[in-house]
Amino acid sequence: MRKPYLNYCLLMSLLFACPGLMAQERIDVHTRDISMVFTVGASGRLYQSYLGTRLASNSAPADTVMEAYAQGGGSYLFEPAIRIVHADGNPSLDLRVDSWRVDSTTDNNIRVTCIVMKDPVYPVTVVLELKAYLRENVITSSVRISHAEKSPVRVTNFSSSMLHFHADSYWLTQWHGDWAREMHMEESRLTSGIKIIDSKLGTRADMYQTPVFLLSLDGESTEETGKVLAGTLGWSGSFQLLFEVDEKDRLSVLPGMNPYASDYVLDPGKTLKTPEFIFTYSDEGRGLASRNLHDWARSYGVLDGRGSRMTLLNNWESTQFAFNEQKLDTLFGETRRLGADMFLLDDGWFGNKYPRNNDHTSLGDWQENKVKLPHGIARLEKDAAEKGVKFGIWVEPEMVSPKSELYEKHPEWVLKLPNRAENYFRNQLVLDLVNPAVQDFVFRVVDDLLTQHSGIAYLKWDCNRMMTNAYSPYLGSRQSNLYIDYVTALYAVLERLRAKHPAVPMMLCSGGGGRTDYGALKYFTEFWPSDNTDAVERVYIQWGYSYFFPANTIACHITSWGKEPLKFRTDVAMMGRLGYDLDVSKMTDKELSFSQQALKDYRRLGATIGQGDLYRLLAPYGSDRAALMYVDKDKKKAVLFGYVLHPRYGSSWAPVQLQGLDAGKVYRVKEINKYPGTKAELVEDGRTFTGEYLMKAGLSVLGKKELTSMVVEITAE
Ligand code: GLA
């Protein structure tokens, strides 16, 4: 319901004129099942009064203790959400609600609440924007900061949101790692003081820490029980997730861009917009929180989230940089023989003065290498089309090799410190994307590829280094704007590209999972979770991402990295977007026919896996097995996965109780992905059961032997 905000302003000014009078205005942000309630105090200050399961609109709590967006420099004693140093040097901000409104959108499922706050003395405006996605029970929060002072102000803190909790205990689950060991899960109890999860890497920003968390209240949560907030920041740069438990054991959560080295110099009339903090709340455990985020992501967070995904054969693991036109022609044929939809040509196809034969040269010189590809990409498009497969290609357009024609021509286009030696990571440097000429260049690299080659059906956009020694020649004296402006510039380029090429699927890659966030995924259809494709490692890595990202966004390739049986590797890769990156010519007949059948089955079941509801049944952490399942929204089809990792000798497990089915329906269970010449391992294979039975008694989806797995198709009769 739209509030008459003119009347509201009038009322507030009358009340301010009568200081003894208590005026309290309540602002509700509801989804179908959750509520966030703000109260405007008599002084015009904004408080968060409630966050949790849905409240009736008339059950007004009027807690005016916790400031909803606390300002630094005044009397607030803890970590502020915002702090500004004004043009005259005054380091304080005093925000009062000026007005608020609910904006209508064309989508009935979204309600946007904008709370406009102003400083009574300094001409600063802060707009807190909350988007409630009713069906998905997701809320996003972001902030716009602007001013009309005579000269620039410095914004030193700029959280996307500030959330408050008062519970008996707080349990934080975080995911961290490094190259090839992404998404290690860790849970700890928050104690008095501050805990920060952050990145200062600028690009490839989530290589060590991922901008996601689960917060369990009043005790640890499980998949099906407990109060959980699941949150993630839509930002591809340095970020900070800050958790502060105060002297009264209240918790404040402050997610946002990292303020480290980033005092933002904001000109009058310009707006600093924070990224969105995306969150959901569940009082039925983690599983529901994930399903909420998945539903949101597929409809709103990811490009073409509701569309289907192509299976593919990639050549990185099998050829690295060593290929040519003939070899690729053979690989197109192998893609076809395997039955995958697309061939993805990886790194190594470009550079002539400095050919890209290893990772020391050529980034920036995006012309086909004449030795490897004498007839260019055009021939590859043609050859792929003749073999009946789609063609995709790798790029890393934000980067430059010191050994490249681009670097020779434009040394001023590179992020590097004056008076210091260049600092390389993977032998490369980051382009100064803040510079509009560089943005045009990056745009043109990708635009030319897509415009000149209508046969390019897919792009893999890589980013293989973080920022170090970061200094933008373009920004001059405003270096502290670099970390933020870089990401804003990246999004501006992606925005331009998507305006012109709205549909081409793109993989977000960053040396593995160094960029996995919903800020970028607006422009991408999927992401590369890790270069580590060992299937046991992938059970954990993919499991970790599944808390926040739906299966159709998680690219899972079968490779030769791990030495597990092909069946195990295949069953693990099938839990996400299935692909291959191995030498098909080395497959035995059995391996090939097994893989061909797996791809056929995936074609039938990909929609259930990618679009269905995920139930994590048995977690791999601290155990030797894992099981999960996806269930179609209409509960007519489900796919169940069971993995036995490295159990102790003689271990055996009880049947796994399924979830998410219709208790009253009758389902047939059928083991698929059986290796040629082997019989079904599933004792119940081929039989029918009620959903109730499957959810109460379960299925014996876990075998006894290590590195074995089962995939079971469950179909309502
Ligand atoms: C990164 C990616 C890999 C591959 C290489 C190519 O490491 O994560 O998948 O594309 O770059 O150089």
Side-chain angles (χ1 to χ4, degrees):
M1 192 176 66
R2 185 182 288 270
K3 290 274 177 177
Y5 84 92
L6 274 179
N7 292 349
Y8 166 74
C9 294
L10 186 65
L11 177 71
M12 291 304 284
S13 50
L14 286 173
L15 289 168
F16 288 150
C18 320
L21 208 59
M22 284 296 288
Q24 290 199 335
E25 178 88 6
R26 169 175 163 155
I27 304 173
D28 282 328
V29 176
H30 292 310
T31 68
R32 197 188 56 201
D33 301 325
I34 63 179
S35 291
M36 192 172 184
V37 180
F38 298 93
T39 304
V40 184
S43 60
R45 287 190 169 278
L46 184 69
Y47 299 92
Q48 182 202 303
S49 304
Y50 178 81
L51 172 56
T53 45
R54 171 110 191 202
L55 288 179
S57 295
N58 57 5
S59 60
D63 186 341
T64 50
V65 176
M66 303 312 289
E67 289 230 27
Y69 198 67
Q71 306 105 62
S75 54
Y76 187 69
L77 293 172
F78 300 93
E79 189 70 20
I82 185 169
R83 182 174 168 272
I84 285 181
V85 180
H86 298 277
D88 66 3
N90 186 326
S92 69
L93 189 64
D94 178 9
L95 291 178
R96 312 291 172 113
V97 175
D98 178 74
S99 62
W100 67 278
R101 59 181 193 270
V102 178
D103 287 339
S104 56
T105 69
T106 49
D107 185 339
N108 286 337
N109 186 46
I110 308 177
R111 276 173 57 116
V112 185
T113 304
C114 288
I115 305 171
V116 182
M117 294 175 282
K118 293 192 168 169
D119 189 308
V121 177
Y122 287 87
V124 172
T125 302
V126 174
V127 182
L128 176 61
E129 182 180 286
L130 296 137
K131 276 192 201 159
Y133 296 81
L134 310 186
R135 268 192 315 270
E136 294 79 10
N137 293 311
V138 165
I139 298 175
T140 65
S141 168
S142 64
V143 171
R144 294 191 297 273
I145 303 162
S146 58
H147 72 95
E149 299 195 12
K150 290 209 168 59
S151 48
V153 304
R154 264 191 306 129
V155 192
T156 69
N157 294 71
F158 28 64
S159 264
S160 293
S161 170
M162 183 171 202
L163 302 181
H164 300 285
F165 301 92
H166 200 179
D168 285 342
S169 62
Y170 310 103
W171 296 85
L172 179 70
T173 313
Q174 66 185 100
W175 281 264
H176 59 90
D178 194 355
W179 176 80
R181 55 184 301 273
E182 290 87 347
M183 293 304 267
H184 282 232
M185 184 172 101
E186 192 164 333
E187 181 162 33
S188 53
R189 187 174 176 158
L190 290 173
T191 53
S192 187
I194 286 183
K195 157 103 183 174
I196 288 177
I197 299 170
D198 82 336
S199 160
K200 299 186 178 74
L201 305 183
T203 45
R204 201 176 179 176
D206 27 307
M207 187 156 79
Y208 302 141
Q209 301 283 348
T210 307
V212 299
F213 68 90
L214 292 179
L215 177 70
S216 305
L217 305 169
D218 292 327
E220 289 155 281
S221 58
T222 69
E223 282 295 317
E224 296 106 53
T225 63
K227 300 175 195 162
V228 189
L229 182 101
T232 175
L233 189 74
W235 185 242
S236 311
S238 302
F239 65 87
Q240 186 184 75
L241 308 172
L242 186 145
F243 305 82
E244 182 167 30
V245 178
D246 70 12
E247 83 292 0
K248 296 207 163 45
D249 295 325
R250 289 180 185 254
L251 169 69
S252 306
V253 180
L254 292 154
M257 300 180 288
N258 199 333
Y260 167 75
S262 291
D263 282 9
Y264 198 85
V265 183
L266 185 64
D267 283 319
K270 296 271 188 232
T271 300
L272 175 63
K273 186 173 183 327
T274 74
E276 285 184 333
F277 174 61
I278 302 142
F279 66 94
T280 182
Y281 177 84
S282 151
D283 64 356
E284 292 170 35
R286 300 161 173 229
L288 179 62
S290 294
R291 290 188 289 279
N292 289 346
L293 288 177
H294 296 171
D295 284 340
W296 173 84
R298 284 185 292 246
S299 293
Y300 302 104
V302 176
L303 188 78
D304 196 24
R306 296 245 162 246
S308 60
R309 298 290 185 264
M310 287 187 280
T311 56
L312 59 85
L313 175 67
N314 188 193
N315 68 313
W316 176 244
E317 295 281 327
S318 62
T319 70
Q320 300 262 309
F321 299 93
F323 55 81
N324 58 24
E325 208 169 82
Q326 290 72 37
K327 174 75 186 170
L328 294 178
D329 195 35
T330 312
L331 294 180
F332 298 147
E334 289 185 346
T335 309
R336 176 63 190 234
R337 201 148 66 99
L338 190 61
D341 300 317
M342 183 196 32
F343 175 79
L344 170 61
L345 173 59
D346 216 284
D347 195 354
W349 57 268
F350 49 92
N352 283 299
K353 181 172 177 187
Y354 304 104
R356 178 80 169 170
N357 292 327
N358 55 52
D359 62 15
H360 283 70
T361 68
S362 329
L363 294 173
D365 300 347
W366 299 103
Q367 298 81 35
E368 298 97 317
N369 176 274
K370 293 203 167 72
V371 177
K372 291 184 203 177
L373 307 176
H375 304 96
I377 292 173
R379 168 64 70 86
L380 303 180
E381 290 174 90
K382 191 166 152 283
D383 289 350
E386 275 172 20
K387 296 285 183 325
V389 295
K390 304 258 192 231
F391 175 67
I393 199 162
W394 178 97
V395 282
E396 196 181 357
E398 298 156 72
M399 299 286 155
V400 62
S401 305
K403 257 194 167 187
S404 65
E405 293 184 75
L406 181 68
Y407 186 88
E408 285 168 358
K409 205 164 144 206
H410 286 295
E412 79 288 5
W413 277 11
V414 176
L415 294 183
K416 61 173 180 175
L417 282 169
N419 311 317
R420 304 269 182 219
E422 287 179 356
N423 180 263
Y424 306 127
F425 187 92
R426 211 193 187 209
N427 316 300
Q428 64 195 58
L429 291 160
V430 184
L431 286 173
D432 184 5
L433 202 57
V434 176
N435 182 340
V438 177
Q439 290 173 36
D440 284 345
F441 170 81
V442 172
F443 170 78
R444 262 186 291 109
V445 166
V446 183
D447 180 44
D448 284 354
L449 274 175
L450 294 175
T451 309
Q452 290 163 17
H453 303 288
S454 58
I456 295 184
Y458 179 95
L459 280 181
K460 175 176 177 182
W461 179 306
D462 215 334
C463 167
N464 273 306
R465 69 156 293 168
M466 72 296 275
M467 286 184 194
T468 54
N469 294 27
Y471 180 96
S472 156
Y474 180 81
L475 277 176
S477 63
R478 292 196 174 183
Q479 291 303 318
S480 59
N481 287 15
L482 173 59
Y483 285 100
I484 292 174
D485 284 355
Y486 183 94
V487 181
T488 310
L490 173 65
Y491 293 162
V493 171
L494 289 164
E495 200 67 46
R496 266 170 87 185
L497 279 168
R498 281 310 182 189
K500 197 158 168 203
H501 309 281
V504 58
M506 269 203 318
M507 180 201 273
L508 177 65
C509 176
S510 186
R515 259 186 191 166
T516 50
D517 66 85
Y518 283 116
L521 279 171
K522 267 195 260 174
Y523 309 101
F524 290 81
T525 42
E526 56 195 36
F527 64 90
W528 184 233
S530 176
D531 280 349
N532 190 339
T533 41
D534 174 283
V536 171
E537 287 294 324
R538 274 302 186 109
V539 169
Y540 292 92
I541 292 171
Q542 293 163 194
W543 196 275
Y545 285 113
S546 84
Y547 286 95
F548 301 92
F549 302 98
N552 63 341
T553 62
I554 306 176
C556 306
H557 295 180
I558 300 157
T559 76
S560 309
W561 177 313
K563 299 298 164 233
E564 301 91 353
L566 181 64
K567 171 170 166 56
F568 186 84
R569 284 180 275 153
T570 306
D571 290 359
V572 172
M574 255 206 188
M575 70 152 98
R577 197 279 284 133
L578 176 65
Y580 287 77
D581 191 351
L582 39 66
D583 191 343
V584 178
S585 71
K586 290 196 181 131
M587 281 183 167
T588 62
D589 288 349
K590 272 189 181 173
E591 285 175 338
L592 185 62
S593 72
F594 168 75
S595 303
Q596 288 166 334
Q597 186 58 43
L599 277 158
K600 276 190 201 135
D601 287 340
Y602 189 80
R603 190 155 287 143
R604 188 177 69 258
L605 301 173
T608 303
I609 295 165
Q611 305 287 331
D613 284 334
L614 167 68
Y615 293 86
R616 288 178 296 256
L617 306 173
L618 292 171
Y621 307 108
S623 73
D624 298 300
R625 79 285 179 266
L628 73 162
M629 66 189 289
Y630 299 96
V631 186
D632 266 356
K633 293 283 178 195
D634 63 7
K635 298 184 186 294
K636 287 188 178 151
K637 175 76 84 184
V639 190
L640 167 68
F641 297 86
Y643 307 106
V644 179
L645 307 177
H646 294 294
R648 297 290 305 272
Y649 175 79
S651 297
S652 66
W653 291 282
V656 176
Q657 289 155 19
L658 310 195
Q659 290 178 35
L661 299 173
D662 181 337
K665 280 196 166 74
V666 173
Y667 295 91
R668 186 170 299 279
V669 301
K670 182 167 171 269
E671 186 180 341
I672 58 167
N673 269 19
K674 283 176 293 191
Y675 200 70
T678 64
K679 290 211 250 10
E681 292 285 322
L682 184 73
V683 178
E684 303 90 342
D685 187 43
R687 294 172 56 194
T688 55
F689 301 92
T690 61
E692 183 196 35
Y693 178 90
L694 293 172
M695 292 191 287
K696 288 190 172 158
L699 283 181
S700 57
V701 72
L702 299 168
K704 286 192 168 50
K705 293 196 206 109
E706 74 167 348
L707 301 180
T708 55
S709 48
M710 281 187 225
V711 182
V712 183
E713 181 174 351
I714 299 168
T715 314
E717 291 276 278

